[in-house]
Amino acid sequence: MSEPTHDFTLTASDLDQIRRHGLDADEVRRQLSLLERGARPVRLDRPCRVGDGVVRLEPARHRELEARYNAARRDGRFAKMVPASGAATRMFRELLGALDPSGDGSANEAAVRFLDDLPRLPFVATVEDTAARHGLDVAALRARRSADAARPLLEVLLLDGPADGSLSNAPYLGYAQRPKALIPFHRGAGEERTPLAEHLDEAAEHLLDHERRAVVHFTIPQHSELDFRDAARAVEARLERVHGARFEISFSIQRPETDTVAGSADGGPLRDADGRLLFRPGGHGSLLPNLEAMAGDLVFVRNIDNVLPIHRRDEVLAWNRRLGGLLVEIEEFIHDTSHAIEAGRLDGDAVDRALRRSAELLQAPHALAALELPESERPGRLAMILDRPLRVAGVVPVAGEPGGGPFWAASPAHAGASAGTVPVTPQIVESAQIDRDDPAQNAVVAAATHFNPVHMVCRLRDHHGRPYPLQDFVDPETFFVTRKSHHGQPLLALEHPGLWNGAMAGWNTVFVEIPGTIFAPVKTVFDLLRPSHQPAP
């Protein structure tokens, strides 16, 4: 990997544009250097497995952990953050391809499948009603079972209006342009239910404090807050009535100052037709300031598209309680030990016991290395190991889903690195971060047993109740560089370290095995046909 060779000169106009975007020139030059240098692969040591980086909670512990969770919940300590800024475009990519009459065979097959399976999709009634208002005979189109027959219905589903631009008093549904959070995922009791509604309903079932309050935060696309507020209002009153709940719902966008400058494939910044720098969203790692701004205490983080319907929710709720209870249990150890260190109440033997307990509770073998230090240095090292954000992250058995997984990997952002060593700690690592040209690294990936579904609960405050500055625990070397295009021009896009990857590299992480049955992501519209998303029998 070559080091940067360019001196990136920025014009006065560039500097003004950068300032108006909320960035500074040094940051933009740093980003351009990273684009030129490229990302360095994360070095995997081994996969996290049950007994070696993944905890399996035995049934005998479930009741105790749930009791811990419920006590903290009643005290109002838990909130929920749902990253929901993704558009549904990717979800409907196959069907959008079928709108092109010259589309390939796979797109045409997807169109026919859409006709066949329309009755099983949650938005069937809305599609049929909208199509009928435009004079379309849905039954006749379905009977023809061809891509040509599907296209009028796909236009109704995916576009804002007729593809030929003709005017109409009845707009189309435009689902391909909507946020994924506002697309119906489930159908039941005569209604369509969006992921936003399902996440709120779930929150009302496991987050309520002693005042019956549920705190839920959504990160959303820019210029979409009115749509989200309308969607929340449409279900909020009913859910509050059903659950006797009181919601505190908030929204935030990915901040413009977390955007990154686009790079030219030939080196240097890419400019638009007017000669201006081109900035792009910096990936889900840009949401780290949003998480910190919640000023939360204990916060669940779940993706918008991983949500189950009501009749399949009991197991999800049970594991939420268990993960939260384990977090509280570990936190109690951290708080008690940290205060005892500060008060000088731990003798040498007690410090050594706490280091061994840290290694066990926090999946932190580097805590054992501290036992080799002089006795006078061990309390400080123990304090450093404990004094950082904590997450308890559920992982599911590998089932072929795309995404990252739990691995033991070297992390210079973690405790111990400042002493001249780079500890190997439990990390979530995406496939794009791994050197797939290295046979040894491929062997580690092939031996993986678990997958990251983004089902975690985070502790964001220290033992004095002060919010952690989360940026201090990011591994800046875990950025991503991808190849994109803008108006036909190839470009290099820089993404910040991922929210649950490099952005949390310096956190204490405890992986817990959870059942694969509670992981039901919706990456394509046809995922809604899986049994996990279908109505109750």
Side-chain angles (χ1 to χ4, degrees):
M1 196 78 66
S2 62
E3 291 298 323
T5 58
H6 287 92
D7 177 18
F8 300 111
T9 301
L10 299 170
T11 68
S13 178
D14 292 338
L15 296 175
D16 182 63
Q17 182 187 355
I18 291 166
R19 179 183 58 79
R20 291 176 181 275
H21 210 86
L23 293 163
D24 62 63
D26 287 343
E27 170 61 15
V28 169
R29 290 191 185 96
R30 184 188 75 87
Q31 292 176 9
L32 289 169
S33 296
L34 295 179
L35 286 168
E36 184 180 47
R37 191 197 80 192
R40 296 187 175 105
V42 172
R43 192 71 187 170
L44 306 180
D45 185 80
R46 63 192 187 276
C48 291
R49 297 177 145 191
V50 173
D52 183 30
V54 175
V55 175
R56 179 173 286 162
L57 296 178
E58 298 302 329
R61 296 212 60 209
H62 291 179
R63 180 175 295 182
E64 169 204 352
L65 293 175
E66 292 186 23
R68 287 182 183 273
Y69 169 78
N70 283 325
R73 171 188 59 79
R74 286 190 292 269
D75 287 342
R77 300 195 59 201
F78 283 97
K80 181 178 183 178
M81 173 176 165
V82 184
S85 54
T89 308
R90 185 176 300 178
M91 175 178 166
F92 292 110
R93 179 177 293 169
E94 287 179 286
L95 298 182
L96 284 166
L99 287 177
D100 183 353
S102 61
D104 61 21
S106 63
N108 291 337
E109 289 174 9
V112 174
R113 184 182 180 189
F114 167 75
L115 287 179
D116 290 342
D117 290 323
L118 178 59
R120 298 175 57 216
L121 291 171
F123 39 73
V124 55
T126 299
V127 171
E128 290 179 339
D129 290 347
T130 306
R133 288 200 298 273
H134 287 271
L136 297 175
D137 186 333
V138 176
L141 292 171
R142 292 190 61 237
R144 286 168 54 190
R145 294 195 73 250
S146 69
D148 286 340
R151 286 187 188 106
L153 287 181
L154 290 177
E155 287 188 13
V156 167
L157 175 73
L158 302 174
L159 305 183
D160 291 324
D164 61 10
S166 59
L167 297 178
S168 171
N169 291 326
Y172 286 176
L173 298 174
Y175 279 5
Q177 288 77 46
R178 284 195 194 183
K180 187 185 281 191
L182 307 184
I183 302 295
F185 270 23
H186 305 135
R187 184 173 76 247
E191 65 175 0
E192 298 174 355
R193 296 171 66 92
T194 66
L196 179 138
E198 297 287 35
H199 274 286
L200 290 176
D201 199 355
E202 181 183 307
E205 292 198 58
H206 84 101
L207 283 184
L208 299 187
D209 63 14
H210 68 281
E211 296 179 343
R212 307 294 293 175
R213 180 183 61 125
V215 179
V216 186
H217 181 81
F218 296 91
T219 64
I220 63 176
Q222 197 169 14
H223 310 305
S224 68
E225 185 169 347
L226 286 179
D227 291 335
F228 271 81
R229 288 196 180 280
D230 286 346
R233 276 195 293 266
V235 298
E236 186 176 358
R238 178 180 61 80
L239 294 178
E240 289 185 340
R241 184 174 63 253
V242 168
H243 297 289
R246 178 170 61 86
F247 284 106
E248 289 187 10
I249 304 170
S250 58
F251 305 96
S252 66
I253 62 168
Q254 194 165 302
R255 298 181 181 182
E257 61 267 28
T258 65
D259 289 353
T260 59
V261 66
S264 165
D266 300 325
L270 184 72
R271 298 180 182 275
D272 63 19
D274 297 323
R276 292 170 57 81
L277 299 172
L278 180 67
F279 291 97
R280 296 174 51 83
H284 61 67
S286 302
L287 299 178
L288 190 67
N290 302 61
L291 178 60
E292 186 173 329
M294 285 183 67
D297 184 4
L298 308 178
V299 179
F300 285 92
V301 178
R302 286 262 303 285
N303 273 344
I304 189 66
D305 65 359
N306 179 26
V307 66
L308 288 166
I310 296 172
H311 65 282
R312 293 181 177 270
R313 192 177 291 155
D314 286 349
E315 195 173 27
V316 177
L317 297 173
W319 280 100
N320 285 347
R321 294 191 295 268
R322 292 160 195 164
L323 296 179
L326 181 61
L327 184 85
V328 171
E329 178 182 74
I330 297 171
E331 182 195 52
E332 289 173 358
F333 165 76
I334 291 172
H335 281 200
D336 291 347
T337 305
S338 298
H339 284 298
I341 293 171
E342 290 179 350
R345 295 198 304 269
L346 298 184
D347 61 19
D349 288 341
V351 169
D352 290 355
R353 287 195 300 272
L355 284 166
R356 293 188 180 93
R357 182 62 172 152
S358 299
E360 175 189 3
L361 267 184
L362 298 174
Q363 302 294 294
H366 54 281
L368 298 178
L371 295 170
E372 305 299 321
L373 295 172
E375 185 173 319
S376 62
E377 296 180 20
R378 294 176 201 170
R381 180 59 56 82
L382 174 59
M384 183 175 68
I385 290 169
L386 298 179
D387 190 17
R388 55 195 54 244
L390 167 70
R391 62 176 168 173
V392 173
V395 292
V396 297
V398 168
E401 298 286 352
F407 293 91
W408 290 95
S411 173
H414 215 284
S418 60
T421 62
V422 179
V424 172
T425 60
Q427 301 285 330
I428 294 171
V429 182
E430 298 281 352
S431 57
Q433 297 176 269
I434 302 168
D435 183 0
R436 301 313 296 263
D437 293 327
D438 184 334
Q441 292 292 280
N442 283 329
V444 175
V445 174
T449 56
H450 289 79
F451 172 82
N452 166 45
V454 191
H455 192 140
M456 64 183 67
V457 57
C458 305
R459 165 186 173 261
L460 303 180
R461 295 175 180 266
D462 68 13
H463 57 288
H464 291 293
R466 299 172 300 208
Y468 280 110
L470 299 183
Q471 194 64 40
D472 290 355
F473 302 92
V474 175
D475 181 353
E477 287 298 315
T478 55
F479 61 90
F480 297 85
V481 176
T482 58
R483 294 186 178 273
K484 307 279 186 180
S485 64
H486 177 72
H487 294 167
Q489 284 185 285
L491 63 82
L492 296 177
L494 179 71
E495 293 189 11
H496 297 294
L499 181 60
W500 37 82
N501 312 110
M504 295 182 176
W507 294 35
N508 283 321
T509 295
V510 178
F511 291 124
V512 176
E513 184 179 62
I514 60 177
T517 49
I518 68 174
F519 177 50
V522 177
K523 303 305 179 186
T524 81
V525 64
F526 296 118
D527 288 335
L528 295 173
L529 301 173
R530 295 181 180 185
S532 53
H533 290 289
Q534 289 293 292

